[in-house]
Amino acid sequence: LAKTTQPISMDSYEGQEVNITCSHNNIATNDYITWYQQFPSQGPRFIIQGYKTKVTNEVASLFIPADRKSSTLSLPRVSLSDTAVYYCLVGFNYGQNFVFGPGTRLSVLP
Amino acid sequence: DSGVTQTPKHLITATGQRVTLRCSPRSGDLSVYWYQQSLDQGLQFLIQYYNGEERAKGNILERFSAQQFPDLHSELNLSSLELGDSALYFCASSVDSYQPQHFGDGTRLSIL
């Protein structure tokens, strides 16, 4: 059974680095891991996607270990505007199923 | 702006009724996905279409159906509505199953 888990909530202070981990079992060799940010009354907004090792873009980094049973989203130097819910989305069974994690509510404090 | 357009933004109806939600994907995207977001179940994958054909099926009820038209827009049909169907329904689109999905801002369905 495809399942993903994430911490329910995290607190951080402005300027700190935040790492959010998603655990996922039974991921197939061709399936990707994607992270999203969601604000109230809006759709999930794409942050980053990866398949293995490390991916970096202008806003985040994604670390995926060799066994691919987890992934870690890293947000460098968060600001108040990064307060949101963060979701991992994992493809399972070679793109036949897509499972969101329960979401991590990040609160950035001044 | 993700480029994915969903209409209507809000829908209020009664139990037993039928509604249709519409989604226009980003230009160039061939794949469309539907998700349901509720407080108790989180974000749940319903169904995916690729270039007009059903590609993957998730936790979609038999009372729900979808289709993707030749111009690539998609509709999600919900029938015999129940109170528990009240939720946010999101559409997403991507180039294919292995490219990032981009989400619209959803349709909020309220069943009275």
Side-chain angles (χ1 to χ4, degrees):
Chain A
L1 180 66
K3 189 177 178 182
T4 56
T5 59
Q6 298 176 235
I8 296 301
S9 64
M10 296 180 72
D11 290 337
S12 182
Y13 290 96
E14 278 192 293
Q16 288 190 331
E17 178 184 75
V18 170
N19 296 309
I20 306 173
T21 296
C22 172
S23 297
H24 28 79
N25 60 355
N26 300 326
I27 186 171
T29 54
N30 284 358
D31 287 320
Y32 280 81
I33 300 143
T34 314
W35 282 83
Y36 291 87
Q37 176 192 56
Q38 188 179 31
F39 296 109
S41 300
Q42 293 184 21
R45 188 171 76 175
F46 170 76
I47 301 173
I48 197 166
Q49 177 173 286
Y51 169 68
K52 60 181 178 181
T53 62
K54 178 182 175 182
V55 179
T56 298
N57 63 20
E58 63 275 10
V59 299
S61 295
L62 179 59
F63 301 92
I64 303 170
D67 66 4
R68 304 205 324 126
K69 290 186 178 180
S70 67
S71 61
T72 299
L73 172 71
S74 181
L75 304 172
R77 298 180 298 282
V78 294
S79 64
L80 296 177
S81 62
D82 293 320
T83 293
V85 181
Y86 292 82
Y87 292 94
C88 60
L89 172 63
V90 182
F92 285 94
N93 197 20
Y94 300 95
Q96 288 300 300
N97 193 12
F98 301 93
V99 179
F100 269 98
T104 299
R105 186 172 299 276
L106 174 65
S107 298
V108 180
L109 308 172
Chain B
D1 182 10
S2 68
V4 178
T5 304
Q6 291 187 246
T7 56
K9 291 191 185 308
H10 303 276
L11 202 48
I12 301 174
T13 188
T15 55
Q17 295 299 305
R18 173 189 169 95
V19 296
T20 297
L21 313 183
R22 182 187 169 100
C23 170
S24 293
R26 292 188 323 162
S27 176
D29 285 355
L30 297 179
S31 207
V32 169
Y33 311 76
W34 287 97
Y35 291 84
Q36 180 193 60
Q37 185 173 34
S38 61
L39 283 174
D40 56 342
Q41 302 257 11
L43 278 154
Q44 299 252 316
F45 168 63
L46 296 178
I47 198 163
Q48 176 201 1
Y49 279 81
Y50 179 81
N51 204 20
E53 302 284 330
E54 183 183 304
R55 174 65 65 90
K57 211 166 187 176
N59 300 320
I60 189 165
L61 300 172
E62 284 192 13
R63 300 183 286 108
F64 297 179
S65 65
Q67 56 184 326
Q68 187 179 26
F69 294 88
D71 67 353
L72 300 177
H73 90 273
S74 178
E75 292 181 355
L76 179 67
N77 300 297
L78 315 176
S79 62
S80 302
L81 287 168
E82 302 174 0
L83 293 177
D85 298 327
S86 293
L88 262 170
Y89 290 85
F90 288 108
C91 169
S93 74
S94 68
V95 174
D96 59 41
S97 296
Y98 298 102
Q99 298 302 314
Q101 299 176 31
H102 296 272
F103 284 75
D105 280 335
T107 293
R108 182 174 295 279
L109 177 63
S110 298
I111 313 298
L112 304 179

